[in-house]
Amino acid sequence: MHDAAAAIALLEGASAAAADVFRAILTRGPISRIDIARLLGLSQAAVTKAVGPLLEVGLVSDELSLPRDGQPGRPANPLMVVADALVSIGVKVNADEIVGVATDLTTSVLAVDRRPLKTTSVSSVADAIEACTATLVDALGPLAPRLCAVGVSVSGDVDTHRGVVRESAIMGWTDVPLATILTDRLGRDVLVENDVRALTVGEHWFGVGVGTDLFAIVTIGRGIGSGLHINGDVVEGAYGVAGEIGHLPLTSPEHLCPCGRRGCVEAVAATPAIVAAVSRGHGHDLTIGEIVELAHERDPIAVHTFEHAATVIGTAIATLVNLTGPQLVIIGGEAVSNFDLFETHLRAAFEEHAFGAAGRCEIVTRPHTFEDWARGAAASAIRRLAEKGA
Amino acid sequence: MHDAAAAIALLEGASAAAADVFRAILTRGPISRIDIARLLGLSQAAVTKAVGPLLEVGLVSDELSLPRDGQPGRPANPLMVVADALVSIGVKVNADEIVGVATDLTTSVLAVDRRPLKTTSVSSVADAIEACTATLVDALGPLAPRLCAVGVSVSGDVDTHRGVVRESAIMGWTDVPLATILTDRLGRDVLVENDVRALTVGEHWFGVGVGTDLFAIVTIGRGIGSGLHINGDVVEGAYGVAGEIGHLPLTSPEHLCPCGRRGCVEAVAATPAIVAAVSRGHGHDLTIGEIVELAHERDPIAVHTFEHAATVIGTAIATLVNLTGPQLVIIGGEAVSNFDLFETHLRAAFEEHAFGAAGRCEIVTRPHTFEDWARGAAASAIRRLAEKGA
């Protein structure tokens, strides 16, 4: 028995406590009512009250449960989300391509659509997202009416509450009201989020961050960013900006960053900076692929450039760790595929500058695919729905 | 009607929801039951259930309330904590002095005791804290039986859960089990906390941080530290270390920090580093008082040293802000009394490196007295009690 419209209405109108209960089942299920009560500091009666309507609309199931002897109405067995009760679409916007996924509530991917971008103009990106969404809705077939949320993630300074991309260097955008534009085109609410924050939400739900409250994602590649998860939530920043590890002033002022500031991490450690430095050293333009090959052949200029980048990234991670003390730092981003060129100097710089017990923080890599980034956008959109409260 | 023992037992045995309700009344009162329910996502029935015993033992009052027409049992008027229902002692340990305060539940100071330290040996500090506590208990007179919590704050790497000062450069301590030592001596639980984190808790309760969820305290002076308040709580760090802004690698490696690392903020911007640099420049030992005077007389060496320190501190604050995006940074610590020597270069460096909308973060100073630091220790101890849950 299933009613998607009723399920969406229920989530949109949920009390804060009911929304908390749903999120607990979504992200920690299978979980018993008793454990939810303990986790959220609610009475069991309050949990039971919140669970009832979730069961009724088919968002949650206790089918695994067996009635206790003599208490047929009070199953003690765990609650789980019904993964395909609702579906979500997440889109990651890159400079040259958009990647969209349709997922179920647990962000398992049901369909994928990728399409190249010829330009980064707002209208062509909006065209592409509109077409991508239509394709994904088609692919969903009979599940299409269960679509509950659309999330779009973009690199840069994103004001999620207003849905405005205030600044995206990679896209060349300033103050683009992307949520409004897309909501008009798609005829439904669209969440716009910073891409690394979205990935952090996703990682907390489906990735290495599961079960860890205090962790960070650091992405390396064309841009260098980070997402922080502290005290139960992603750090959004009071003004919508946080995690800007790529713009920490950790290198010398001679390095000018594309953002206009001096000494930023990105000015030496982002892929364009590496490409520029090695091309300059060799006296002609090289691609990042050629530079990676040169480094693997021990070309001194390429090797030194990666080592310098790695030292600055490791120093930046130590900085993040000394300030926020995470249990785990997950390094992702496209440059992770060549992590061998970074690892030694990155870890050495981290160990040199990490302070005291903060240095126990584990550093792992995780090769996020572009689909993972899109899943993060879908997770952010579901999270927003499950957080709205009444 | 008042029963301190029952009140303490109630808090120690409280459910998580009841503890949340008490904390909401303590830190946000006067507050209505409806607003508490809204804030915490609880039903009004759950709030009423939690409030009952708090009223009964005299921790909370609704004396301001008038019965609604026809509903004499359901006052809508606000709840407030009964400030002197319980009292707390907070002690700040400095290298040359300890400062203790006895406070009520709202950390209003009821009595103060300061005593100089001849050495920083653990036993002489424990002696001093024991004597200080005894003096404060005497000063409390008839309120003494209401003592519910003792908190002690120390600069350095403090493992609050185990009560161990793992490393305190200022005290010259390594792995000191201070909580156990003091609990044995005082015959009651003692909370040991990092001093800046304790101040951050206090500031959130009684200071500029009231009503602001995302803020940071940065302390400048003999040490340089910070406390972060994000997503509803102080950032503790997964391994008990966070906020180590004094040990961010933001200056050149030629500067050796007393911690053994190179390029730390403290290596150029802490008072001992300033004293060393100006003394070296003048070829003889100077005190910080003499150096401040020299700077005010525009002595170029002193002026330049303060400007350099200020630039590094401003860069460090930009780093903290770019990563965590606070609404407010409160600069405290003993060097704030000479903030005129720092301000221009500090703000210029902050503006140079703050990224995008994160730069809207306001920077204010607040001259914390040592009593404020001790109040922070008292607030941390009360917070722990009100968080224990069952």
Side-chain angles (χ1 to χ4, degrees):
Chain A
M1 170 150 46
H2 190 276
D3 182 345
I8 295 170
L10 178 67
L11 291 179
E12 287 183 343
S15 69
D20 286 347
V21 168
F22 177 66
R23 259 203 329 284
I25 299 169
L26 181 61
T27 60
R28 308 216 184 199
I31 184 170
S32 70
R33 288 167 174 83
I34 293 172
D35 287 339
I36 297 172
R38 210 169 279 148
L39 180 71
L40 301 176
L42 295 172
S43 69
Q44 272 187 258
V47 172
T48 298
K49 191 180 154 198
V51 167
L54 294 170
L55 286 167
E56 208 164 295
V57 298
L59 274 170
V60 162
S61 158
D62 58 359
E63 271 172 31
L64 290 173
S65 68
L66 296 170
R68 279 197 216 157
D69 290 354
Q71 292 189 314
R74 294 177 168 271
N77 282 350
L79 296 158
M80 294 178 61
V81 80
V82 177
D84 66 356
L86 295 174
V87 298
S88 169
I89 286 177
V91 179
K92 162 77 163 106
V93 178
N94 299 309
D96 54 358
E97 183 191 38
I98 67 162
V99 181
V101 294
T103 77
D104 67 17
L105 280 174
T106 64
T107 72
S108 288
V109 174
L110 306 172
V112 180
D113 184 69
R114 304 172 72 130
R115 45 191 75 216
L117 287 175
K118 285 199 195 86
T119 81
T120 61
S121 78
V122 176
S123 65
S124 66
V125 172
D127 285 346
I129 293 174
E130 194 178 345
C132 170
T133 307
T135 303
L136 290 170
V137 168
D138 275 355
L140 282 169
L143 293 179
R146 302 187 188 179
L147 183 60
C148 69
V150 177
V152 173
S153 76
V154 187
S155 161
D157 175 354
V158 177
D159 181 337
T160 306
H161 294 286
R162 290 171 49 233
V164 173
V165 180
R166 288 191 292 220
E167 192 77 53
S168 175
I170 283 173
M171 302 304 290
W173 290 356
T174 303
D175 288 327
V176 174
L178 190 61
T180 307
I181 293 168
L182 293 175
T183 298
D184 281 355
R185 285 182 177 240
L186 304 183
R188 59 161 56 248
D189 273 359
V190 175
L191 175 84
V192 175
E193 179 56 286
N194 166 274
D195 58 349
V196 186
R197 279 201 303 249
L199 186 65
T200 306
V201 172
E203 195 66 56
H204 188 54
W205 279 17
F206 63 71
V208 185
V210 170
T212 308
D213 178 55
L214 223 170
F215 73 95
I217 293 186
V218 173
T219 59
I220 60 176
R222 181 159 176 166
I224 296 181
S226 71
L228 300 168
H229 196 278
I230 298 178
N231 289 334
D233 211 341
V234 172
V235 178
E236 303 260 357
Y239 302 103
V241 174
E244 290 292 350
I245 195 171
H247 300 282
L248 303 186
L250 289 172
T251 181
S252 76
E254 82 203 54
H255 301 291
L256 182 65
C257 185
C259 78
R261 292 171 193 80
R262 295 195 163 271
C264 292
V265 170
E266 279 195 4
V268 300
T271 302
I274 292 172
V275 167
V278 180
S279 296
R280 202 163 50 236
H282 279 278
H284 57 93
D285 283 354
L286 293 160
T287 66
I288 183 65
E290 290 164 339
I291 290 168
V292 167
E293 219 168 288
L294 281 172
H296 281 139
E297 290 160 3
R298 311 300 303 157
D299 169 75
I301 295 170
V303 168
H304 172 263
T305 303
F306 275 109
E307 286 176 355
H308 183 43
T311 298
V312 172
I313 294 169
T315 306
I317 293 175
T319 298
L320 179 154
V321 165
N322 290 356
L323 279 177
T324 62
Q327 186 182 343
L328 183 70
V329 169
I330 304 156
I331 303 183
E334 63 281 15
V336 159
S337 53
N338 307 305
F339 195 65
D340 58 310
L341 298 174
F342 292 90
E343 182 153 17
T344 308
H345 282 70
L346 187 154
R347 289 193 187 273
F350 173 73
E351 273 158 36
E352 188 180 338
H353 294 296
F355 188 78
R360 291 187 210 157
C361 172
E362 202 185 345
I363 298 179
V364 300
T365 60
R366 189 179 147 94
H368 296 105
T369 63
F370 279 125
E371 285 177 27
D372 288 329
W373 290 80
R375 286 172 76 193
S380 295
I382 296 168
R383 169 172 165 267
R384 157 77 76 92
L385 180 69
E387 258 182 11
K388 271 184 180 165
Chain B
M1 170 151 47
H2 190 277
D3 181 347
I8 294 171
L10 178 66
L11 291 179
E12 287 182 344
S15 71
D20 286 349
V21 168
F22 177 66
R23 261 205 324 287
I25 299 169
L26 180 61
T27 60
R28 309 217 183 198
I31 183 168
S32 71
R33 287 168 176 79
I34 293 171
D35 287 340
I36 296 171
R38 209 170 281 148
L39 181 71
L40 300 176
L42 295 172
S43 67
Q44 273 188 258
V47 172
T48 299
K49 190 180 154 199
V51 167
L54 294 170
L55 287 167
E56 209 163 294
V57 298
L59 274 169
V60 161
S61 160
D62 59 359
E63 273 171 30
L64 290 173
S65 68
L66 296 169
R68 281 198 216 155
D69 290 354
Q71 291 188 315
R74 294 178 167 269
N77 282 352
L79 296 158
M80 295 177 61
V81 79
V82 177
D84 67 356
L86 295 175
V87 297
S88 169
I89 286 177
V91 178
K92 162 77 162 105
V93 178
N94 298 310
D96 54 358
E97 183 191 38
I98 66 164
V99 181
V101 294
T103 77
D104 67 17
L105 280 174
T106 64
T107 73
S108 288
V109 173
L110 306 172
V112 181
D113 183 68
R114 304 173 71 131
R115 45 191 75 216
L117 287 175
K118 285 197 194 90
T119 81
T120 61
S121 77
V122 176
S123 65
S124 65
V125 172
D127 285 345
I129 293 174
E130 194 178 344
C132 169
T133 308
T135 303
L136 290 170
V137 168
D138 275 356
L140 283 169
L143 293 178
R146 301 185 189 179
L147 183 60
C148 69
V150 177
V152 173
S153 76
V154 187
S155 160
D157 175 354
V158 176
D159 180 338
T160 306
H161 294 284
R162 291 171 49 234
V164 173
V165 180
R166 288 192 292 221
E167 193 76 53
S168 174
I170 283 173
M171 302 305 290
W173 290 356
T174 304
D175 288 327
V176 174
L178 191 62
T180 307
I181 293 167
L182 294 175
T183 298
D184 281 355
R185 284 182 177 240
L186 303 184
R188 59 161 56 249
D189 275 0
V190 175
L191 176 85
V192 175
E193 180 56 286
N194 167 274
D195 58 350
V196 185
R197 280 201 302 250
L199 186 65
T200 307
V201 172
E203 195 66 56
H204 188 53
W205 280 17
F206 62 72
V208 185
V210 170
T212 308
D213 179 55
L214 224 170
F215 73 96
I217 293 186
V218 173
T219 59
I220 61 176
R222 181 159 177 166
I224 296 180
S226 71
L228 300 167
H229 197 279
I230 298 177
N231 289 335
D233 210 341
V234 172
V235 178
E236 302 260 357
Y239 303 104
V241 174
E244 290 292 349
I245 195 172
H247 300 282
L248 304 185
L250 290 172
T251 180
S252 77
E254 81 204 54
H255 300 291
L256 181 65
C257 185
C259 78
R261 291 171 193 80
R262 294 192 164 274
C264 293
V265 171
E266 279 196 3
V268 299
T271 303
I274 292 172
V275 167
V278 180
S279 295
R280 203 164 47 237
H282 279 279
H284 58 92
D285 284 353
L286 293 160
T287 66
I288 184 65
E290 290 164 341
I291 290 168
V292 167
E293 217 168 288
L294 282 171
H296 282 139
E297 289 160 3
R298 311 300 303 157
D299 169 74
I301 296 170
V303 167
H304 172 263
T305 303
F306 275 108
E307 287 176 354
H308 183 43
T311 298
V312 172
I313 294 170
T315 306
I317 293 175
T319 298
L320 180 154
V321 165
N322 290 357
L323 280 177
T324 63
Q327 185 181 345
L328 183 70
V329 169
I330 304 156
I331 303 181
E334 62 282 15
V336 159
S337 53
N338 306 306
F339 195 66
D340 58 311
L341 299 174
F342 292 91
E343 182 153 16
T344 308
H345 282 69
L346 188 155
R347 289 192 186 275
F350 173 74
E351 273 158 36
E352 189 180 338
H353 294 295
F355 188 79
R360 291 187 211 157
C361 172
E362 201 186 345
I363 297 179
V364 301
T365 60
R366 188 177 146 93
H368 296 104
T369 63
F370 279 123
E371 285 176 30
D372 288 329
W373 289 79
R375 286 172 77 191
S380 294
I382 296 167
R383 169 172 165 268
R384 158 76 75 92
L385 181 70
E387 257 182 11
K388 271 184 178 165

